[in-house]
Amino acid sequence: MSKPAWLQSQLDDRARTSDAMSAAADQMNVCRGIAADLNAKGQDHTSDPFWRAAVGESHRLAAEAEILGIDVHDIGEEAARRRSTP
């Protein structure tokens, strides 16, 4: 039996929101990891082209998430939660 269209729409929206949150939080952690690695080597991460590209992608994903109603602070909290979960 198929789901009513209204229910499927809500499920699809929830899945899109979850995917957007995951992608933005993961990318935020990628930026943090690149910066940590470079800083551990005594290098400044702000001039690194890979870090800059990662930050650009992080901002793009955060903007997409905001369209779905996700606040950037919530993304940061999810990123922190993922870092603390083994």
Side-chain angles (χ1 to χ4, degrees):
M1 176 183 246
S2 65
K3 296 176 188 77
W6 66 268
L7 177 57
Q8 188 60 53
S9 175
Q10 287 184 348
L11 293 172
D12 291 346
D13 287 348
R14 204 166 232 199
R16 267 191 299 278
T17 302
S18 176
D19 290 347
M21 172 70 92
S22 294
D26 288 345
Q27 188 62 28
M28 192 176 277
N29 283 333
V30 165
C31 296
R32 184 180 173 96
I34 292 170
D37 289 346
L38 290 169
N39 291 339
K41 296 175 187 173
Q43 299 173 355
D44 177 26
H45 65 276
T46 58
S47 62
D48 182 77
F50 294 111
W51 180 80
R52 287 177 175 258
V55 169
E57 180 65 3
S58 181
H59 289 177
R60 186 188 70 75
L61 291 169
E64 285 184 16
E66 280 187 297
I67 291 169
L68 297 172
I70 301 170
D71 184 77
V72 69
H73 296 99
D74 294 332
I75 296 169
E77 288 175 14
E78 176 62 13
R81 186 192 69 75
R82 288 171 181 241
R83 283 193 307 274
S84 67
T85 303

